[in-house]
Amino acid sequence: MAAHGEADQLGTTSDSDQGELNETDAPGKSEDAILFASDDFDNLTYEGLAEEAQKPVQKGTIHAIVRQSSNDVDSRSNTPNNIDHDSSEVSAGEESVEETAEQAQITPRADNTEVPDTVDASRIEIEEEDAYNPEWKNQKKHVFILSASGKPIYSRHGKEDKLVTIMGVMQALVSFVQDAKDQLRSIVAGQHKFVFLVRDHLILVGVTRGMDSTQQMLLQLMYVYNQVISVLTHSSLNKIFKQRRNYDLRRLLTGAEKFFDNLLNLMDTEPGLLLTAVRCLPLDSSVREIIAQSIVQNAKLKDLVFALIIVKNQLVTLVRMKKYYLHPMDLHLIINLVNASESFKDAESWTPICLPKFDASGFVQAHVSYLDNDCEVCLLLLSVDRDSFFILSEAKDKIKARLIRYNALQAINASIKRTSYSTQQCGIPDLRHFLYKARSTAQYTSPELEAPYTEPAEQERLFGMYLYLHHRIHTSGRPLKILFHVGEYETLLGWVTQGFELYAVFGPLITKTSAIHAVNKLLRWIKREEDRLFILNSVTF
Amino acid sequence: MASNKVDAKVVLLGKSYAGKTCLVERYLKDRFLGETVPYQNTIGAAYGAKTVNIDGHSIVIGIWDTAGSERYEAMSRIYYRGAKAAILCFDLTDKSSFDRIRFWIGELHQHEENCKIYLCATKCDLVEENPERRAVQDSVAKALAKDCMANIYETSSKTGKNIDELFEKIAEDYVKEKVAADELEQEAIRIAEIGRKAHCPCS
């Protein structure tokens, strides 16, 4: 794309007729944010990650309860029957070898010496490795999780146990560089980028030949890592690997593969994860207020931390306990949980979930139910009281009754059917699509995908352009405020201020001046619609 | 996790893919989706309730269908705490699911002494169709049932075989125990009253 492109920083050129960008108040801005992103994409660097690992544990009564409950579970999982029957499911039959290696683990090199043992050459010849399969090779993006000792845990494509060799190589690369007191971050080979993230006892590797930048891949790996934490908690992950360094983590993740698959698919199609922002279901603010009040009035319970309604990956409302905020990354994991699980549709469920940004050390309990017969409106009540299922179930019935009485459920369903909005509604000719993120509230909005972006291949290309634009603007070495990029098929304009991030896609022939007029007009349009597109008031219990 | 609306709490435990969700689905909704809908593992636990009539007693059975994945085992207690009955499910065509039953028996004996255990061998239609698929011998399963003084049922959620019988038995056992407990209590009150009368100094 760069071949046809000409990238300029508007601020530095002196064309008189280019128009002015009016950096007024950011639409969708709110002092009273419901979501709270304590960090930013720009801070997502390897140094930043190291700092995060050392950050102190959260304080507050709720966090104390979360930690307490996880201690209860931990002390129970100490019982021998939980850890020690690791036998039949181990992949490569290297158990005895690793047992001895485990005793010799004082030397950090033990990892390296294990590798040749784990790869049984004769076995690979018989069972065909996925890595030789051309279809596997042709996949655009791979994500792998392996343990620090090189045991396969997850692979996005193919079966992880047929990728023992390649995972062994990855582990060898990581530990070879570690040996030199250094850290392997990424490798670029031809069209492919290999990005490595080492956290605790896990090695995550992302391989892409798409538009994703290294930093964007790192963000995706962070999501995947957080998904692991969300299923297991950080404390039990640590505990397991402290007890047995060569533990086969797949045993604890059985049934969770679909969360990873679904999350990775979401990341390739849903801009919210890239922007660490959520999309809200468009609703009149009065309706939204009724919904929030229905929750507040009927679910004001001592240990209820968050109550939220999600529809088709979009947030309808979020009510939170005072002083406690939900991080958009955690919200994406909740959305992913709902999106990936069919089983919630059959019955009310009661499930533990760990929200890594909120508290990685323990679980909160989630009461999950659908409020309508079509199973689209999903209510989640997150509590730290593990015995409160029936209280929450009762609260849910009351919330549902009130939503029906005030026609709010009907309004939600109508909004789902109406689809979001068309780019044309903004009244700007030549504007094809855009993403707008209000930074203070970590929410974003974008119109429906319309022609020419109706085919999956075209949608993928559009998403690739957003990745490119986002990457160029956020390049850590040289962050840009504004970028005007003329491509072969479309012209891109990216603009980032304190208050918002805007990424707009125009037809290829638009001039700089008209593009600037267009985005100014667009901002005014979003401002007019902000009550409907964003949640501007934070409701607390 | 008690509620005044529920009389008998029943929990289903067992390895994943043993057929717990299908069993509940058949009992509560009288349908079997195993052949049309792809397998979906349960997340956490799902709850359902049903009212049954036993000898003129109307009781509400609250059923907890738990996830079989191993990571939930450490916290399974929040689901079986206070349960009156536990249905331990194993797949007749999967030996490893049967081996897991002993773990659950141990767990329940340790933490929930008052919980009655019912063994449930699932997918018996598969075994009837093709006897070679049977991985758990009848004698072995019965021996285990005898060991832990449990009733054992061979069920099929596909055909519905033995499923109503299983839950009916649970409800009957519950009512029987409850009636016995009530009588005991009334007796205790009577004795207390008699005792009070005898010792009343004013009479």
Side-chain angles (χ1 to χ4, degrees):
Chain A
M1 189 180 298
H4 337 280
E6 155 256 346
D8 262 357
Q9 245 180 298
L10 279 181
T12 58
T13 52
S14 55
D15 266 351
S16 55
D17 63 350
Q18 72 172 24
E20 287 282 316
L21 285 167
N22 303 322
E23 194 174 324
T24 48
D25 229 11
K29 185 180 164 201
S30 168
E31 301 296 319
D32 190 17
I34 50 153
L35 293 168
F36 185 64
S38 48
D39 41 14
D40 210 312
F41 182 81
D42 301 312
N43 303 333
L44 188 79
T45 57
Y46 286 94
E47 290 80 9
L49 290 177
E51 269 168 40
E52 192 184 315
Q54 293 158 6
K55 77 173 178 214
V57 284
Q58 294 96 326
K59 293 196 177 71
T61 36
I62 291 298
H63 292 295
I65 298 173
V66 170
R67 263 193 302 283
Q68 179 54 42
S69 63
S70 91
N71 286 342
D72 294 351
V73 171
D74 283 352
S75 62
R76 283 170 45 68
S77 61
N78 261 341
T79 51
N81 48 20
N82 256 302
I83 293 291
D84 280 349
H85 50 92
D86 188 350
S87 53
S88 56
E89 290 155 76
V90 179
S91 56
E94 72 282 34
E95 199 70 339
S96 58
V97 179
E98 292 202 359
E99 291 295 357
T100 50
E102 201 173 5
Q103 280 153 22
Q105 65 172 283
I106 317 104
T107 54
R109 286 204 58 100
D111 277 8
N112 281 351
T113 49
E114 260 174 46
V115 174
D117 298 323
T118 47
V119 182
D120 184 349
S122 59
R123 184 180 154 272
I124 289 155
E125 274 174 14
I126 303 160
E127 273 182 56
E128 200 184 317
E129 282 244 339
D130 277 338
Y132 299 119
N133 177 346
E135 198 188 326
W136 185 88
K137 274 188 174 174
N138 270 330
Q139 296 290 349
K140 200 165 174 188
K141 193 186 284 173
H142 284 277
V143 172
F144 308 95
I145 312 175
L146 47 147
S147 73
S149 55
K151 243 181 199 168
I153 296 171
Y154 169 82
S155 167
R156 184 183 190 186
H157 305 289
K159 285 195 75 75
E160 72 289 337
D161 51 359
K162 292 200 172 177
L163 296 165
V164 183
T165 332
I166 200 164
M167 300 232 191
V169 172
M170 290 171 185
Q171 191 269 344
L173 285 170
V174 167
S175 68
F176 181 79
V177 177
Q178 262 172 358
D179 240 19
K181 300 267 176 293
D182 212 337
Q183 203 185 9
L184 179 59
R185 296 179 176 183
S186 63
I187 302 171
V188 178
Q191 282 195 314
H192 286 87
K193 286 187 201 81
F194 297 72
V195 180
F196 295 80
L197 172 65
V198 182
R199 296 292 313 254
D200 305 313
H201 306 272
L202 301 179
I203 299 171
L204 295 99
V205 186
V207 183
T208 179
R209 58 180 174 82
M211 297 298 289
D212 320 64
S213 71
T214 307
Q215 207 177 356
Q216 285 163 350
M217 283 305 286
L218 190 60
L219 176 73
Q220 297 177 25
L221 295 180
M222 273 307 290
Y223 271 111
V224 174
Y225 172 78
N226 281 352
Q227 180 66 64
V228 177
I229 298 299
S230 174
V231 170
L232 296 175
T233 77
H234 186 254
S235 15
S236 66
L237 185 71
N238 263 334
K239 199 169 187 129
I240 289 160
F241 281 114
K242 251 180 213 155
Q243 281 181 0
R244 280 184 70 128
R245 217 165 38 89
N246 61 339
Y247 186 80
D248 186 354
L249 198 65
R250 286 181 304 165
R251 292 182 45 201
L252 288 181
L253 293 176
T254 35
E257 301 89 349
K258 61 181 175 188
F259 294 137
F260 297 112
D261 292 340
N262 197 70
L263 180 69
L264 289 165
N265 291 340
L266 273 181
M267 274 191 291
D268 283 346
T269 51
E270 180 66 49
L273 290 102
L274 171 69
L275 300 173
T276 48
V278 288
R279 187 205 297 260
C280 303
L281 183 80
L283 276 179
D284 279 344
S285 57
S286 59
V287 175
R288 216 187 291 277
E289 185 60 27
I290 288 172
I291 298 169
Q293 283 310 319
S294 303
I295 293 176
V296 173
Q297 286 175 20
N298 295 302
K300 205 176 168 65
L301 300 162
K302 190 170 127 274
D303 290 313
L304 189 63
V305 195
F306 298 115
L308 56 156
I309 295 179
I310 291 168
V311 168
K312 289 202 161 159
N313 298 341
Q314 299 168 72
L315 186 64
V316 174
T317 191
L318 169 66
V319 183
R320 60 181 179 83
M321 198 181 250
K322 275 193 196 78
K323 287 191 289 189
Y324 295 97
Y325 291 92
L326 195 57
H327 191 284
M329 273 181 109
D330 283 346
L331 183 52
H332 279 300
L333 292 181
I334 295 174
I335 290 175
N336 186 47
L337 171 80
V338 173
N339 191 294
S341 319
E342 281 294 310
S343 76
F344 294 143
K345 295 184 176 171
D346 293 328
E348 270 173 67
S349 297
W350 186 231
T351 182
I353 176 176
C354 169
L355 303 172
K357 290 279 183 182
F358 176 68
D359 197 327
S361 63
F363 287 112
V364 296
Q365 280 289 135
H367 178 282
V368 190
S369 58
Y370 281 91
L371 299 178
D372 60 334
N373 296 333
D374 297 341
C375 291
E376 288 195 290
V377 185
C378 185
L379 172 73
L380 293 113
L381 304 169
L382 307 181
S383 168
V384 288
D385 179 1
R386 287 187 287 171
D387 293 332
S388 59
F389 175 84
F390 288 104
I391 302 169
L392 296 178
S393 178
E394 227 169 88
K396 170 227 146 190
D397 288 338
K398 286 187 203 155
I399 291 170
K400 185 177 171 178
R402 193 171 188 274
L403 290 183
I404 292 172
R405 195 162 61 239
Y406 286 88
N407 290 330
L409 214 48
Q410 211 180 328
I412 293 173
N413 276 319
S415 177
I416 299 171
K417 291 211 177 65
R418 227 182 3 249
T419 68
S420 182
Y421 55 92
S422 151
T423 315
Q424 282 179 359
Q425 273 168 266
C426 313
I428 300 161
D430 234 18
L431 178 68
R432 290 190 180 171
H433 197 260
F434 68 88
L435 305 176
Y436 172 88
K437 172 187 171 183
R439 292 177 102 166
S440 59
T441 50
Q443 297 169 33
Y444 85 98
T445 182
S446 75
E448 295 285 321
L449 289 166
E450 294 160 319
Y453 309 111
T454 43
E455 296 299 311
E458 281 300 299
Q459 291 175 358
E460 200 182 316
R461 203 174 59 80
L462 176 70
F463 198 78
M465 287 190 286
Y466 281 133
L467 284 172
Y468 172 78
L469 197 54
H470 179 268
H471 160 63
R472 283 295 305 271
I473 282 195
H474 292 278
T475 309
S476 50
R478 201 172 67 105
L480 305 175
K481 279 199 150 136
I482 301 155
L483 178 73
F484 185 75
H485 174 98
V486 183
E488 191 176 4
Y489 303 110
E490 41 269 288
T491 296
L492 311 176
L493 179 67
W495 182 19
V496 176
T497 71
Q498 282 289 323
F500 65 81
E501 295 179 21
L502 175 67
Y503 307 91
V505 177
F506 297 96
L509 300 175
I510 194 164
T511 61
K512 250 185 251 173
T513 324
S514 22
I516 287 162
H517 283 308
V519 291
N520 283 330
K521 200 172 167 195
L522 178 59
L523 287 174
R524 282 197 297 277
W525 183 83
I526 297 172
K527 182 77 193 163
R528 268 204 308 281
E529 299 285 323
E530 66 175 2
D531 281 340
R532 206 167 60 84
L533 301 177
F534 299 100
I535 304 178
L536 299 173
N537 298 318
S538 170
V539 185
T540 57
F541 288 117
Chain B
M1 211 178 301
S3 165
N4 37 13
K5 282 189 288 186
V6 177
D7 299 299
K9 173 172 171 178
V10 178
V11 61
L12 279 92
L13 298 166
K15 204 185 162 196
S16 53
Y17 202 59
K20 298 178 291 297
T21 303
C22 283
L23 186 80
V24 174
E25 188 84 1
R26 170 60 83 186
Y27 179 63
L28 292 180
K29 297 178 186 158
D30 198 23
R31 61 178 186 186
F32 179 70
L33 301 173
E35 276 166 343
T36 44
V37 179
Y39 171 67
Q40 273 285 337
N41 54 327
T42 308
I43 311 295
Y47 176 78
K50 188 166 177 167
T51 311
V52 287
N53 253 306
I54 302 287
D55 304 334
H57 298 265
S58 168
I59 61 163
V60 178
I61 312 182
I63 302 168
W64 282 97
D65 169 26
T66 65
S69 308
E70 206 178 308
R71 64 173 173 280
Y72 294 109
E73 280 176 9
M75 48 202 141
S76 58
R77 209 174 156 198
I78 64 169
Y79 300 117
Y80 66 66
R81 187 187 296 152
K84 299 282 184 229
I87 304 174
L88 306 187
C89 296
F90 62 94
D91 176 351
L92 277 173
T93 66
D94 175 10
K95 180 73 167 52
S96 68
S97 70
F98 180 69
D99 296 339
R100 210 69 199 118
I101 296 292
R102 280 195 183 278
F103 164 80
W104 288 115
I105 293 174
E107 188 90 341
L108 289 168
H109 279 171
Q110 198 185 339
H111 300 289
E112 287 297 325
E113 274 178 81
N114 296 325
C115 176
K116 266 182 95 86
I117 293 172
Y118 300 82
L119 294 191
C120 176
T122 60
K123 309 185 190 177
C124 79
D125 56 289
L126 291 181
V127 177
E128 278 160 15
E129 213 174 82
N130 179 4
E132 276 176 25
R133 290 193 65 179
R134 181 182 278 272
V136 182
Q137 291 313 313
D138 201 34
S139 53
V140 182
K142 286 210 168 105
L144 180 66
K146 210 175 158 196
D147 240 23
C148 62
M149 294 180 297
N151 287 305
I152 181 162
Y153 288 84
E154 269 199 12
T155 65
S156 161
S157 303
K158 191 176 160 185
T159 64
K161 183 183 162 190
N162 267 340
I163 287 173
D164 285 341
E165 287 83 347
L166 166 65
F167 282 96
E168 209 156 286
K169 174 75 176 147
I170 291 172
E172 270 172 21
D173 286 353
Y174 170 76
V175 169
K176 235 184 264 169
E177 204 165 284
K178 193 169 172 286
V179 169
D182 286 354
E183 278 174 6
L184 206 69
E185 200 173 301
Q186 275 177 3
E187 208 127 292
I189 291 168
R190 244 197 326 270
I191 290 169
E193 278 172 356
I194 294 165
R196 202 161 45 226
K197 269 181 195 154
H199 290 283
C200 186
C202 347
S203 62

